[in-house]
Amino acid sequence: YNEYKSYLRVTGVMVTKTKAKKEKKATAPREEEDTHVPVISSFTRILISFSLAALAVIYRLSPLWTKNIDTTLLAGWNETLGTGGMLKEVPCQLETSSTALPGCLPARCGRYVTDRLVTSVEAQRLIDIAERAFRVGGGGSGGVDVFDLYSGGVSHGSSFANVKILAEKKGIRQLFSESDRAFYMQIKNRIKKEVEKKWRLGKGLIQLTKPTFFSKMTGRPAKTANDEYWHRHVDTEQYEKFHYTALLYLNTHSKEFEGGRFMFDTPQHNHTIHPKAGRVLVFTSGPENPHHVEKVRSGVRYAITIPFTCDPAFAPGDPDF
């Protein structure tokens, strides 16, 4: 994002106004203003028309030049993936780690999507939990609200505030119940077991790491850097000890919101996933999986990010929200 801002600064158009110096010459006669309007010749008109036609042909043929680039829709909003889900492998670029547990780092890298782990009813219950925090926080100033389960931080205007402190100020003694926390743990453990299964990991090798958070995206204009979720990025560049990233979508593209598709951005492996209530997307977190989220155009998009690490030093235990 800092590189993006630098790019804007470097390439930004700066307009400066200068005043031409007027030289007054008492003896020099005033020259008549040239009111001649240039006429485009017939040859120039033909050349321009030919150029525009050529550009039109190039535009129409451009898909033929990129036919070898995979732009597959991995999972559409109106389909349900069968038992076993869908796993697409990509060449690994994950760096080694001397502190990771042996046998935990990905031996194979890829993207996995399943619709069989979480029901739409369970997804709605998670939205209800998240919305309690978002209502107490009052919402962010831009197009995305975040509720972090470890810190308790929730979007509050142009910054973050502790959700428990805000709740106490509003006279709310208990924002979340033990049942809410147990339900979250049940969903998290279900996803963790699926990651272990698909990547053939021994039990207990991966652990939840932070941040793990709910996100609520809308089409409101961005006000701060935290609102600009649509930039291409790699998870390990932001969070070094992410090794497996899981995303649980809580509502459905084209039904509750427009835009907001998840897109992997790699040559030969450009894959798109439509969010759907209860759908889980898991991918290895290294540079083999650069990605971005398309801007939400309308409606509200809900999801929760659940990352896992292979490094015990970055496994703080389960969040006590």
Side-chain angles (χ1 to χ4, degrees):
Y1 174 65
N2 290 331
E3 292 178 358
Y4 175 76
K5 288 196 295 185
S6 300
Y7 172 78
L8 289 181
R9 285 197 296 269
V10 171
T11 60
V13 178
M14 182 176 291
V15 179
T16 59
K17 296 181 179 180
T18 59
K19 295 183 178 179
K21 294 182 179 180
K22 298 181 179 179
E23 297 181 357
K24 296 182 179 179
K25 296 184 180 179
T27 57
R30 184 177 179 180
E31 295 183 1
E32 294 184 1
E33 186 178 354
D34 185 4
T35 59
H36 174 69
V37 179
V39 178
I40 300 176
S41 68
S42 298
F43 175 76
T44 304
R45 290 174 186 271
I46 294 172
L47 184 61
I48 292 173
S49 299
F50 177 81
S51 299
L52 291 174
L55 287 173
V57 171
I58 291 172
Y59 176 79
R60 288 181 176 274
L61 290 180
S62 58
L64 298 178
W65 300 339
T66 58
K67 64 181 180 179
N68 293 325
I69 296 178
D70 187 354
T71 56
T72 303
L73 175 63
L74 279 189
W77 67 270
N78 57 351
E79 64 177 312
T80 300
L81 299 179
T83 304
M86 179 180 295
L87 177 64
K88 291 288 185 180
E89 294 192 23
V90 296
C92 285
Q93 298 181 40
L94 194 67
E95 296 181 358
T96 59
S97 172
S98 59
T99 56
L101 292 174
C104 183
L105 293 177
R108 56 176 184 162
C109 295
R111 303 130 187 200
Y112 171 64
V113 190
T114 178
D115 293 328
R116 299 294 185 180
L117 292 180
V118 181
T119 68
S120 59
V121 173
E122 290 173 323
Q124 182 58 54
R125 182 175 176 185
L126 288 170
I127 290 178
D128 294 341
I129 292 173
E131 269 299 327
R132 273 179 256 161
F134 293 140
R135 283 194 295 269
V136 167
S141 57
V144 59
D145 291 352
V146 171
F147 170 43
D148 178 57
L149 297 181
Y150 275 110
S151 68
V154 66
S155 297
H156 183 64
S158 59
S159 60
F160 292 87
N162 185 280
V163 71
K164 290 184 179 180
I165 294 175
L166 291 176
E168 289 173 1
K169 289 181 178 179
K170 294 185 177 184
I172 302 173
R173 299 183 61 183
Q174 186 178 26
L175 189 59
F176 306 110
S177 67
E178 285 299 323
S179 175
D180 293 330
R181 185 175 182 275
F183 176 69
Y184 162 79
M185 294 297 300
Q186 178 186 352
I187 297 296
K188 184 269 294 183
N189 288 333
R190 202 181 299 168
I191 294 173
K192 179 174 177 284
K193 289 180 181 179
E194 189 73 4
V195 176
E196 292 170 342
K197 175 183 175 182
K198 285 298 174 181
W199 269 269
R200 302 167 188 168
L201 303 174
K203 185 177 180 180
L205 289 181
I206 57 171
Q207 298 295 330
L208 185 68
T209 188
K210 58 182 180 181
T212 178
F213 56 91
F214 288 98
S215 61
K216 176 183 179 180
M217 298 177 181
T218 69
R220 297 197 311 269
K223 299 296 183 181
T224 69
N226 291 322
D227 299 326
E228 298 185 5
Y229 54 82
W230 51 81
H231 300 300
R232 179 181 183 270
H233 66 278
V234 172
D235 282 0
T236 51
E237 292 177 358
Q238 294 182 301
Y239 309 106
E240 181 183 357
K241 294 304 179 179
F242 277 27
H243 293 109
Y244 301 88
T245 303
L247 301 173
L248 168 56
Y249 297 112
L250 305 181
N251 62 342
T252 303
H253 171 81
S254 293
K255 286 187 175 182
E256 284 88 8
F257 61 92
E258 294 293 336
R261 297 175 299 172
F262 185 98
M263 299 180 176
F264 288 105
D265 308 308
T266 48
Q268 310 299 324
H269 299 283
N270 292 328
H271 294 140
T272 298
I273 293 91
H274 290 174
K276 178 181 178 180
R279 174 167 287 166
V280 175
L281 166 64
V282 183
F283 54 93
T284 47
S285 308
E288 69 278 357
N289 279 321
H291 56 274
H292 74 279
V293 175
E294 178 186 44
K295 286 185 181 181
V296 173
R297 297 191 297 274
S298 63
V300 181
R301 175 192 192 269
Y302 292 96
I304 181 170
T305 299
I306 304 176
F308 298 99
T309 184
C310 292
D311 192 332
F314 289 84
D318 293 320
D320 183 18
F321 65 94

